[in-house]
Amino acid sequence: MDPLSALRDFSVRGELDKIVRVGDEFRFGNDYVFSCGAETAYRSKQGNLYTLETLVYYVKNHHVKHTEYLQNARTQKIPAVTLPDRKPLLEYLQGKVSSNDAIEFVVPQNPKAADPVPIDVEEYRPEDPGMIGIRAPADEFEDDNSRVRVPEKVDYVSMIKTLERPLKDRELLLECRHRDFYSVLVASTRREEERQRIESQQRKDGLVAKSRLMGTDERGLGFWKDGEDLGYDSTPKPKMHLKGSKIGEGVPIILVPSAFQTLITIYNVKEFLEDGVFIPTDVKVKQMKGAKPDCVTVQKKFSRDRVVTAYEVRDKPSTLKAEDWDRVVAVFVLGKEWQFKDWPFKDHVEIFNRIIGFFMRFEDDSVESAKMVKQWNVKIISISKNKRHQDRAAALEVWDRLEEFVRSRSHN
Protein backbone atom coordinates (compact mmCIF):
# COMPACT_ATOMS: atom_id res chain seq x y z
CA MET A 1 0.00 0.00 0.00
CA ASP A 2 1.21 3.49 -0.79
CA PRO A 3 1.79 6.04 2.03
CA LEU A 4 -1.25 8.20 1.17
CA SER A 5 -3.68 5.28 1.15
CA ALA A 6 -2.25 3.92 4.40
CA LEU A 7 -2.59 7.32 6.10
CA ARG A 8 -6.19 7.67 4.85
CA ASP A 9 -7.03 4.20 6.07
CA PHE A 10 -5.71 4.86 9.59
CA SER A 11 -7.41 8.28 9.66
CA VAL A 12 -10.81 6.89 8.70
CA ARG A 13 -10.49 4.14 11.34
CA GLY A 14 -9.51 6.73 13.97
CA GLU A 15 -6.15 5.10 14.58
CA LEU A 16 -3.86 8.07 13.99
CA ASP A 17 -2.36 7.50 17.41
CA LYS A 18 -0.92 4.23 16.13
CA ILE A 19 1.21 6.12 13.61
CA VAL A 20 4.51 6.53 15.45
CA ARG A 21 7.70 8.15 14.25
CA VAL A 22 10.90 6.18 14.93
CA GLY A 23 14.00 7.94 13.66
CA ASP A 24 13.44 8.76 9.98
CA GLU A 25 10.52 6.38 9.59
CA PHE A 26 6.80 6.26 10.33
CA ARG A 27 5.44 2.99 11.65
CA PHE A 28 1.76 2.38 11.02
CA GLY A 29 1.14 -0.03 13.87
CA ASN A 30 2.56 -3.37 12.82
CA ASP A 31 1.26 -3.05 9.29
CA TYR A 32 3.45 -0.62 7.38
CA VAL A 33 6.75 1.27 7.61
CA PHE A 34 7.45 4.29 5.42
CA SER A 35 10.24 6.86 5.22
CA CYS A 36 9.35 10.24 6.69
CA GLY A 37 10.48 12.01 3.52
CA ALA A 38 8.58 9.69 1.18
CA GLU A 39 6.53 11.62 -1.34
CA THR A 40 2.84 10.82 -1.42
CA ALA A 41 0.46 10.87 -4.37
CA TYR A 42 -1.15 14.14 -3.25
CA ARG A 43 0.10 17.08 -5.32
CA SER A 44 -0.27 20.60 -3.92
CA LYS A 45 -1.64 23.48 -5.95
CA GLN A 46 1.93 24.81 -6.06
CA GLY A 47 2.99 21.73 -8.04
CA ASN A 48 4.99 19.70 -5.53
CA LEU A 49 4.07 16.36 -3.98
CA TYR A 50 3.46 16.46 -0.24
CA THR A 51 5.72 14.24 1.84
CA LEU A 52 4.35 11.75 4.33
CA GLU A 53 5.87 13.79 7.17
CA THR A 54 3.89 16.88 6.06
CA LEU A 55 0.57 15.01 5.81
CA VAL A 56 0.96 13.18 9.14
CA TYR A 57 1.75 16.41 10.96
CA TYR A 58 -1.19 18.18 9.29
CA VAL A 59 -3.84 15.54 9.89
CA LYS A 60 -2.86 15.40 13.56
CA ASN A 61 -2.98 19.21 13.87
CA HIS A 62 -5.75 20.19 11.44
CA HIS A 63 -7.78 21.68 14.31
CA VAL A 64 -5.11 24.36 14.95
CA LYS A 65 -5.48 27.80 13.33
CA HIS A 66 -3.55 28.08 10.10
CA THR A 67 -1.21 30.85 11.31
CA GLU A 68 -0.37 28.94 14.48
CA TYR A 69 -0.01 25.74 12.46
CA LEU A 70 2.48 27.43 10.08
CA GLN A 71 4.51 28.77 12.99
CA ASN A 72 4.66 25.40 14.72
CA ALA A 73 5.58 23.63 11.50
CA ARG A 74 8.33 26.15 10.82
CA THR A 75 9.65 25.66 14.35
CA GLN A 76 9.85 21.90 13.85
CA LYS A 77 11.27 22.38 10.33
CA ILE A 78 8.40 20.47 8.71
CA PRO A 79 7.03 21.66 5.33
CA ALA A 80 3.49 22.93 5.81
CA VAL A 81 0.28 22.31 3.88
CA THR A 82 -0.82 25.45 2.04
CA LEU A 83 -4.09 27.15 2.90
CA PRO A 84 -5.87 26.29 -0.42
CA ASP A 85 -5.04 22.59 0.07
CA ARG A 86 -6.22 22.26 3.69
CA LYS A 87 -9.93 21.63 3.20
CA PRO A 88 -9.87 19.21 0.20
CA LEU A 89 -6.93 17.30 1.69
CA LEU A 90 -8.64 16.91 5.07
CA GLU A 91 -11.90 15.76 3.45
CA TYR A 92 -10.02 13.06 1.55
CA LEU A 93 -8.00 11.85 4.53
CA GLN A 94 -11.11 11.69 6.74
CA GLY A 95 -13.01 9.69 4.10
CA LYS A 96 -15.58 12.36 3.29
CA VAL A 97 -14.65 12.12 -0.40
CA SER A 98 -13.39 9.09 -2.21
CA SER A 99 -11.05 10.85 -4.61
CA ASN A 100 -9.48 14.19 -5.45
CA ASP A 101 -8.06 15.79 -8.60
CA ALA A 102 -4.80 16.44 -6.76
CA ILE A 103 -4.16 12.73 -6.25
CA GLU A 104 -1.77 11.14 -8.72
CA PHE A 105 -1.16 7.53 -7.88
CA VAL A 106 1.88 5.94 -9.50
CA VAL A 107 1.75 2.50 -11.02
CA PRO A 108 3.16 -0.10 -8.64
CA GLN A 109 6.10 -2.15 -9.72
CA ASN A 110 4.02 -5.36 -9.98
CA PRO A 111 0.57 -4.16 -11.06
CA LYS A 112 -2.25 -6.64 -10.85
CA ALA A 113 -4.89 -5.75 -13.40
CA ALA A 114 -8.38 -7.23 -13.27
CA ASP A 115 -8.04 -8.57 -16.81
CA PRO A 116 -4.33 -8.68 -17.48
CA VAL A 117 -3.18 -8.78 -21.03
CA PRO A 118 -0.35 -11.24 -21.54
CA ILE A 119 2.83 -9.87 -22.99
CA ASP A 120 4.97 -12.09 -25.07
CA VAL A 121 8.43 -11.76 -23.57
CA GLU A 122 10.00 -13.37 -26.61
CA GLU A 123 9.02 -10.31 -28.61
CA TYR A 124 11.34 -8.04 -26.53
CA ARG A 125 13.97 -6.70 -28.89
CA PRO A 126 16.33 -4.00 -27.49
CA GLU A 127 17.36 -2.97 -30.98
CA ASP A 128 13.76 -2.20 -31.82
CA PRO A 129 13.18 1.54 -31.13
CA GLY A 130 9.53 0.87 -30.44
CA MET A 131 10.43 -1.41 -27.54
CA ILE A 132 13.02 0.80 -25.84
CA GLY A 133 12.14 1.36 -22.19
CA ILE A 134 9.89 -1.66 -21.85
CA ARG A 135 11.31 -2.23 -18.39
CA ALA A 136 9.46 0.93 -17.31
CA PRO A 137 5.68 0.79 -17.79
CA ALA A 138 4.84 2.58 -21.02
CA ASP A 139 1.81 4.61 -21.80
CA GLU A 140 0.33 1.79 -23.77
CA PHE A 141 0.97 -1.74 -25.04
CA GLU A 142 -0.60 -3.14 -28.17
CA ASP A 143 -1.22 -6.57 -29.58
CA ASP A 144 -3.27 -7.78 -32.48
CA ASN A 145 -6.59 -7.96 -30.59
CA SER A 146 -6.75 -5.12 -28.06
CA ARG A 147 -5.14 -2.05 -26.57
CA VAL A 148 -4.60 -1.48 -22.84
CA ARG A 149 -3.68 2.00 -21.49
CA VAL A 150 -1.69 2.18 -18.27
CA PRO A 151 -2.84 5.25 -16.29
CA GLU A 152 0.51 6.71 -15.23
CA LYS A 153 4.25 6.31 -15.54
CA VAL A 154 6.49 5.34 -12.67
CA ASP A 155 8.02 8.50 -11.25
CA TYR A 156 11.58 7.33 -10.70
CA VAL A 157 12.75 10.87 -9.88
CA SER A 158 10.36 11.04 -6.94
CA MET A 159 11.55 7.64 -5.77
CA ILE A 160 15.15 8.87 -5.84
CA LYS A 161 14.29 12.09 -4.02
CA THR A 162 12.76 10.16 -1.14
CA LEU A 163 16.18 8.63 -0.53
CA GLU A 164 18.07 11.92 -0.73
CA ARG A 165 19.33 13.77 2.34
CA PRO A 166 20.18 17.51 2.05
CA LEU A 167 23.82 18.27 2.83
CA LYS A 168 23.50 22.08 2.78
CA ASP A 169 20.67 24.51 3.06
CA ARG A 170 20.37 28.11 1.84
CA GLU A 171 21.89 29.61 5.00
CA LEU A 172 24.97 27.38 4.91
CA LEU A 173 25.60 28.34 1.29
CA LEU A 174 25.48 32.05 2.20
CA GLU A 175 28.13 31.61 4.89
CA CYS A 176 30.80 31.02 2.19
CA ARG A 177 33.07 29.01 4.37
CA HIS A 178 36.71 28.66 3.39
CA ARG A 179 36.40 31.78 1.23
CA ASP A 180 38.45 34.93 1.86
CA PHE A 181 37.25 38.29 0.56
CA TYR A 182 39.96 40.34 2.28
CA SER A 183 41.70 41.05 -1.02
CA VAL A 184 38.48 42.58 -2.37
CA LEU A 185 38.24 44.86 0.67
CA VAL A 186 41.88 45.95 0.30
CA ALA A 187 41.46 46.70 -3.41
CA SER A 188 38.29 48.76 -2.87
CA THR A 189 39.91 50.66 0.02
CA ARG A 190 42.96 51.51 -2.08
CA ARG A 191 40.75 52.67 -4.92
CA GLU A 192 38.79 54.96 -2.59
CA GLU A 193 41.99 56.39 -1.07
CA GLU A 194 43.37 57.10 -4.54
CA ARG A 195 40.15 58.86 -5.53
CA GLN A 196 40.23 61.03 -2.42
CA ARG A 197 43.91 61.85 -3.00
CA ILE A 198 43.22 62.97 -6.58
CA GLU A 199 40.27 65.12 -5.49
CA SER A 200 42.33 66.69 -2.72
CA GLN A 201 45.13 67.51 -5.16
CA GLN A 202 42.65 69.03 -7.60
CA ARG A 203 41.22 71.23 -4.85
CA LYS A 204 44.70 72.40 -3.89
CA ASP A 205 45.56 73.18 -7.51
CA GLY A 206 42.33 75.13 -7.83
CA LEU A 207 43.04 77.14 -4.69
CA VAL A 208 46.52 78.06 -5.85
CA ALA A 209 45.27 79.04 -9.32
CA LYS A 210 42.52 81.24 -7.93
CA SER A 211 44.81 82.87 -5.36
CA ARG A 212 47.40 83.64 -8.05
CA LEU A 213 44.71 85.11 -10.26
CA MET A 214 43.61 87.41 -7.44
CA GLY A 215 47.21 88.35 -6.75
CA THR A 216 47.85 89.22 -10.39
CA ASP A 217 44.94 91.64 -10.39
CA GLU A 218 46.29 93.44 -7.32
CA ARG A 219 49.97 93.72 -8.23
CA GLY A 220 50.96 97.30 -8.81
CA LEU A 221 47.61 98.68 -7.66
CA GLY A 222 47.35 101.04 -4.68
CA PHE A 223 44.37 101.54 -2.41
CA TRP A 224 42.81 104.82 -1.63
CA LYS A 225 43.56 106.65 1.56
CA ASP A 226 42.25 110.09 2.42
CA GLY A 227 41.06 110.66 -1.16
CA GLU A 228 44.22 109.39 -2.87
CA ASP A 229 43.60 108.35 -6.48
CA LEU A 230 44.00 104.73 -7.54
CA GLY A 231 47.05 103.86 -9.55
CA TYR A 232 50.46 102.29 -9.44
CA ASP A 233 52.85 103.85 -7.01
CA SER A 234 56.35 102.49 -6.48
CA THR A 235 57.01 104.57 -3.38
CA PRO A 236 56.68 102.83 0.02
CA LYS A 237 53.17 102.96 1.44
CA PRO A 238 52.09 103.18 5.08
CA LYS A 239 52.06 100.09 7.24
CA MET A 240 48.62 98.94 6.10
CA HIS A 241 49.25 99.04 2.34
CA LEU A 242 48.00 95.68 1.00
CA LYS A 243 50.84 94.02 -0.86
CA GLY A 244 49.67 92.21 -3.94
CA SER A 245 52.25 89.41 -3.76
CA LYS A 246 51.36 88.53 -0.18
CA ILE A 247 47.62 88.29 -0.69
CA GLY A 248 48.19 86.37 -3.88
CA GLU A 249 50.37 83.75 -2.25
CA GLY A 250 48.77 83.47 1.16
CA VAL A 251 45.47 82.05 2.34
CA PRO A 252 42.89 84.71 3.33
CA ILE A 253 42.29 85.09 7.07
CA ILE A 254 39.03 85.48 9.00
CA LEU A 255 39.26 86.73 12.59
CA VAL A 256 36.79 85.70 15.30
CA PRO A 257 36.58 86.82 18.94
CA SER A 258 38.21 84.70 21.60
CA ALA A 259 35.49 85.58 24.13
CA PHE A 260 32.77 83.01 24.83
CA GLN A 261 29.94 85.59 24.99
CA THR A 262 29.93 85.91 21.19
CA LEU A 263 27.97 83.48 19.02
CA ILE A 264 30.75 82.59 16.56
CA THR A 265 34.10 81.43 17.93
CA ILE A 266 36.94 79.30 16.69
CA TYR A 267 35.18 76.29 18.22
CA ASN A 268 31.98 76.42 16.14
CA VAL A 269 32.94 78.51 13.08
CA LYS A 270 33.70 75.44 10.93
CA GLU A 271 30.26 73.86 11.40
CA PHE A 272 28.54 77.18 10.75
CA LEU A 273 30.42 78.20 7.59
CA GLU A 274 30.91 74.74 6.06
CA ASP A 275 27.75 72.89 7.10
CA GLY A 276 25.39 75.80 7.69
CA VAL A 277 24.61 74.70 11.26
CA PHE A 278 25.03 76.79 14.40
CA ILE A 279 26.26 74.86 17.45
CA PRO A 280 26.70 76.77 20.73
CA THR A 281 30.30 77.21 21.81
CA ASP A 282 29.84 75.51 25.17
CA VAL A 283 28.48 72.40 23.42
CA LYS A 284 31.43 72.28 21.03
CA VAL A 285 33.90 72.70 23.89
CA LYS A 286 32.44 69.63 25.63
CA GLN A 287 32.60 67.63 22.41
CA MET A 288 36.16 68.66 21.53
CA LYS A 289 39.00 66.32 22.33
CA GLY A 290 42.41 67.81 22.84
CA ALA A 291 43.65 71.37 23.11
CA LYS A 292 42.03 74.43 21.58
CA PRO A 293 43.15 74.93 17.94
CA ASP A 294 45.15 78.03 17.03
CA CYS A 295 43.86 77.98 13.47
CA VAL A 296 40.91 76.39 11.65
CA THR A 297 40.57 76.04 7.86
CA VAL A 298 37.11 76.49 6.35
CA GLN A 299 35.75 76.15 2.82
CA LYS A 300 32.40 76.87 1.22
CA LYS A 301 31.28 73.28 0.74
CA PHE A 302 27.72 74.00 -0.39
CA SER A 303 28.87 75.89 -3.47
CA ARG A 304 28.49 74.99 -7.14
CA ASP A 305 31.88 76.51 -7.97
CA ARG A 306 34.43 73.92 -9.04
CA VAL A 307 37.20 75.99 -7.48
CA VAL A 308 36.67 76.57 -3.76
CA THR A 309 38.72 79.11 -1.80
CA ALA A 310 40.01 78.11 1.62
CA TYR A 311 40.15 80.54 4.55
CA GLU A 312 42.11 80.46 7.78
CA VAL A 313 40.13 81.31 10.91
CA ARG A 314 42.09 82.71 13.88
CA ASP A 315 41.13 84.26 17.22
CA LYS A 316 44.46 85.76 18.32
CA PRO A 317 45.20 88.93 16.32
CA SER A 318 48.24 89.59 18.51
CA THR A 319 50.05 86.63 16.93
CA LEU A 320 49.70 88.01 13.40
CA LYS A 321 52.77 89.42 11.72
CA ALA A 322 52.73 92.58 9.62
CA GLU A 323 52.50 90.58 6.38
CA ASP A 324 49.70 88.44 7.84
CA TRP A 325 47.47 91.49 8.22
CA ASP A 326 47.52 91.87 4.44
CA ARG A 327 45.63 88.58 4.25
CA VAL A 328 42.89 89.47 6.75
CA VAL A 329 39.64 89.85 4.80
CA ALA A 330 36.88 89.47 7.43
CA VAL A 331 36.20 89.73 11.14
CA PHE A 332 33.31 88.65 13.36
CA VAL A 333 32.95 91.53 15.81
CA LEU A 334 32.05 91.24 19.46
CA GLY A 335 30.57 94.73 19.67
CA LYS A 336 33.21 95.93 22.13
CA GLU A 337 35.89 98.54 21.54
CA TRP A 338 38.60 96.53 23.26
CA GLN A 339 38.39 93.84 20.54
CA PHE A 340 40.38 96.15 18.22
CA LYS A 341 43.05 97.09 20.75
CA ASP A 342 46.58 97.04 19.23
CA TRP A 343 45.20 96.54 15.73
CA PRO A 344 47.38 98.29 13.11
CA PHE A 345 44.62 100.68 12.05
CA LYS A 346 43.88 104.24 13.14
CA ASP A 347 40.07 103.92 13.55
CA HIS A 348 37.00 101.84 12.77
CA VAL A 349 36.51 103.54 9.42
CA GLU A 350 39.86 102.27 8.18
CA ILE A 351 39.28 98.82 9.67
CA PHE A 352 35.98 98.22 7.93
CA ASN A 353 37.20 99.73 4.66
CA ARG A 354 39.96 97.12 4.52
CA ILE A 355 38.11 94.26 6.28
CA ILE A 356 34.47 93.26 6.06
CA GLY A 357 32.80 92.94 9.44
CA PHE A 358 30.01 90.62 10.60
CA PHE A 359 28.02 90.76 13.82
CA MET A 360 26.09 87.60 14.79
CA ARG A 361 23.04 87.93 17.02
CA PHE A 362 19.86 86.08 17.93
CA GLU A 363 16.64 87.39 16.40
CA ASP A 364 15.03 88.13 19.76
CA ASP A 365 18.08 89.86 21.32
CA SER A 366 17.56 93.40 22.52
CA VAL A 367 18.45 96.35 20.30
CA GLU A 368 20.96 97.54 22.92
CA SER A 369 23.20 94.58 22.13
CA ALA A 370 23.79 95.96 18.61
CA LYS A 371 23.77 99.66 19.52
CA MET A 372 27.54 100.08 19.17
CA VAL A 373 27.73 97.85 16.09
CA LYS A 374 25.19 99.95 14.20
CA GLN A 375 27.68 102.82 14.27
CA TRP A 376 30.20 100.72 12.32
CA ASN A 377 30.24 99.56 8.70
CA VAL A 378 29.33 96.01 9.75
CA LYS A 379 26.82 93.53 8.38
CA ILE A 380 24.44 92.23 11.09
CA ILE A 381 23.48 88.55 10.68
CA SER A 382 20.52 87.30 12.73
CA ILE A 383 19.79 83.64 13.50
CA SER A 384 17.09 81.88 15.49
CA LYS A 385 17.72 80.35 18.89
CA ASN A 386 15.81 77.19 18.07
CA LYS A 387 15.16 76.95 14.32
CA ARG A 388 18.39 75.36 13.13
CA HIS A 389 17.11 74.84 9.61
CA GLN A 390 17.41 78.60 9.12
CA ASP A 391 21.16 78.62 9.87
CA ARG A 392 22.07 77.67 6.30
CA ALA A 393 20.53 80.85 4.91
CA ALA A 394 22.52 82.93 7.40
CA ALA A 395 25.76 81.12 6.52
CA LEU A 396 25.10 81.66 2.80
CA GLU A 397 24.59 85.36 3.43
CA VAL A 398 27.99 85.52 5.13
CA TRP A 399 29.64 83.74 2.19
CA ASP A 400 27.94 85.94 -0.40
CA ARG A 401 28.99 89.13 1.37
CA LEU A 402 32.52 87.86 1.92
CA GLU A 403 33.05 86.71 -1.68
CA GLU A 404 31.63 89.97 -3.04
CA PHE A 405 33.98 91.94 -0.79
CA VAL A 406 37.01 89.86 -1.80
CA ARG A 407 36.22 90.34 -5.51
CA SER A 408 35.82 94.10 -5.11
CA ARG A 409 39.03 94.31 -3.09
CA SER A 410 41.00 92.28 -5.62
CA HIS A 411 39.94 94.54 -8.50
CA ASN A 412 40.53 97.86 -6.73
Side-chain angles (χ1 to χ4, degrees):
M1 183 177 287
D2 67 280
L4 181 62
S5 299
L7 179 60
R8 184 175 186 271
D9 184 35
F10 272 65
S11 176
V12 171
R13 297 196 319 235
E15 298 178 351
L16 290 176
D17 57 330
K18 293 184 179 181
I19 302 177
V20 181
R21 178 168 183 166
V22 180
D24 292 335
E25 297 177 339
F26 279 114
R27 295 184 180 179
F28 288 67
N30 297 324
D31 299 335
Y32 311 105
V33 177
F34 298 102
S35 172
C36 294
E39 289 186 338
T40 65
Y42 201 98
R43 185 175 297 278
S44 73
K45 295 186 183 301
Q46 294 181 349
N48 60 294
L49 293 173
Y50 284 122
T51 63
L52 180 61
E53 180 182 32
T54 297
L55 298 187
V56 170
Y57 183 77
Y58 168 66
V59 76
K60 289 185 177 182
N61 296 274
H62 68 274
H63 58 281
V64 181
K65 290 184 178 180
H66 187 65
T67 54
E68 184 178 353
Y69 160 73
L70 291 176
Q71 185 176 1
N72 295 338
R74 190 180 299 110
T75 303
Q76 300 185 32
K77 298 182 178 179
I78 298 176
V81 174
T82 61
L83 183 60
D85 290 329
R86 283 176 63 98
K87 184 177 179 180
L89 173 60
L90 184 62
E91 290 178 347
Y92 174 76
L93 292 177
Q94 291 180 344
K96 296 180 180 180
V97 296
S98 59
S99 182
N100 192 307
D101 293 337
I103 300 173
E104 300 177 359
F105 284 111
V106 297
V107 178
Q109 292 185 355
N110 297 315
K112 294 181 179 180
D115 298 317
V117 178
I119 300 176
D120 190 358
V121 179
E122 294 181 359
E123 293 183 1
Y124 170 65
R125 297 185 296 275
E127 66 278 1
D128 186 353
M131 299 298 294
I132 293 178
I134 196 173
R135 294 182 62 188
D139 287 341
E140 59 183 21
F141 297 96
E142 295 183 357
D143 57 16
D144 295 337
N145 301 320
S146 63
R147 172 182 295 180
V148 177
R149 182 177 297 276
V150 181
E152 296 289 343
K153 295 181 179 180
V154 176
D155 191 352
Y156 290 104
V157 176
S158 299
M159 296 172 60
I160 295 173
K161 285 184 177 180
T162 59
L163 302 176
E164 292 180 347
R165 293 293 180 269
L167 299 179
K168 288 186 179 182
D169 57 13
R170 179 173 56 186
E171 295 180 357
L172 289 176
L173 289 174
L174 291 175
E175 289 181 0
C176 297
R177 295 181 179 178
H178 310 296
R179 297 293 178 90
D180 186 7
F181 295 95
Y182 180 72
S183 58
V184 179
L185 175 62
V186 172
S188 60
T189 303
R190 288 178 179 175
R191 190 179 298 109
E192 179 64 19
E193 291 176 350
E194 180 65 17
R195 184 186 66 80
Q196 293 180 359
R197 185 190 66 79
I198 294 175
E199 290 183 356
S200 177
Q201 185 63 39
Q202 290 176 347
R203 284 196 298 269
K204 290 180 181 179
D205 294 343
L207 291 174
V208 172
K210 189 170 183 178
S211 298
R212 288 178 178 176
L213 180 60
M214 292 171 57
T216 303
D217 292 337
E218 290 189 359
R219 284 191 178 93
L221 297 181
F223 289 84
W224 70 90
K225 181 178 180 182
D226 299 332
E228 181 181 350
D229 293 334
L230 296 176
Y232 176 77
D233 190 355
S234 59
T235 59
K237 290 290 182 180
K239 183 177 183 180
M240 279 311 300
H241 169 64
L242 298 179
K243 301 176 182 178
S245 60
K246 292 299 181 181
I247 194 171
E249 295 177 358
V251 178
I253 296 175
I254 300 174
L255 295 178
V256 296
S258 58
F260 273 36
Q261 58 263 40
T262 184
L263 296 185
I264 298 298
T265 63
I266 200 167
Y267 293 99
N268 61 1
V269 66
K270 191 174 185 68
E271 284 75 13
F272 179 71
L273 292 181
E274 288 192 350
D275 303 328
V277 178
F278 170 75
I279 302 176
T281 299
D282 56 345
V283 176
K284 285 298 299 179
V285 171
K286 294 178 182 179
Q287 296 176 353
M288 182 171 293
K289 297 179 180 180
K292 171 188 174 183
D294 295 330
C295 175
V296 174
T297 302
V298 297
Q299 294 178 339
K300 185 181 179 183
K301 288 187 176 180
F302 41 87
S303 173
R304 296 182 179 179
D305 298 337
R306 298 183 64 87
V307 179
V308 181
T309 303
Y311 293 84
E312 292 182 4
V313 181
R314 300 175 180 268
D315 66 347
K316 295 181 180 178
S318 58
T319 61
L320 297 180
K321 300 178 182 179
E323 58 270 19
D324 294 334
W325 280 101
D326 295 319
R327 297 189 287 122
V328 178
V329 294
V331 58
F332 284 84
V333 301
L334 179 61
K336 305 294 183 181
E337 289 282 355
W338 54 262
Q339 180 183 1
F340 307 105
K341 184 181 180 181
D342 297 329
W343 280 37
F345 302 93
K346 66 179 183 179
D347 54 24
H348 297 96
V349 176
E350 185 177 4
I351 291 176
F352 297 119
N353 277 339
R354 304 295 179 88
I355 302 171
I356 186 172
F358 298 101
F359 178 70
M360 298 291 300
R361 64 186 293 272
F362 287 125
E363 292 175 341
D364 52 355
D365 283 351
S366 64
V367 180
E368 293 296 326
S369 62
K371 184 176 181 181
M372 178 66 70
V373 176
K374 288 184 177 180
Q375 303 176 14
W376 303 337
N377 184 19
V378 170
K379 175 61 181 176
I380 299 177
I381 306 293
S382 299
I383 61 175
S384 173
K385 283 187 177 180
N386 303 312
K387 301 175 182 178
R388 297 279 67 84
H389 63 279
Q390 298 179 0
D391 296 341
R392 184 182 179 90
L396 280 172
E397 185 177 3
V398 172
W399 280 115
D400 291 343
R401 297 275 182 172
L402 176 58
E403 291 174 343
E404 181 182 359
F405 175 79
V406 171
R407 284 194 299 269
S408 63
R409 173 173 154 174
S410 63
H411 291 294
N412 285 338

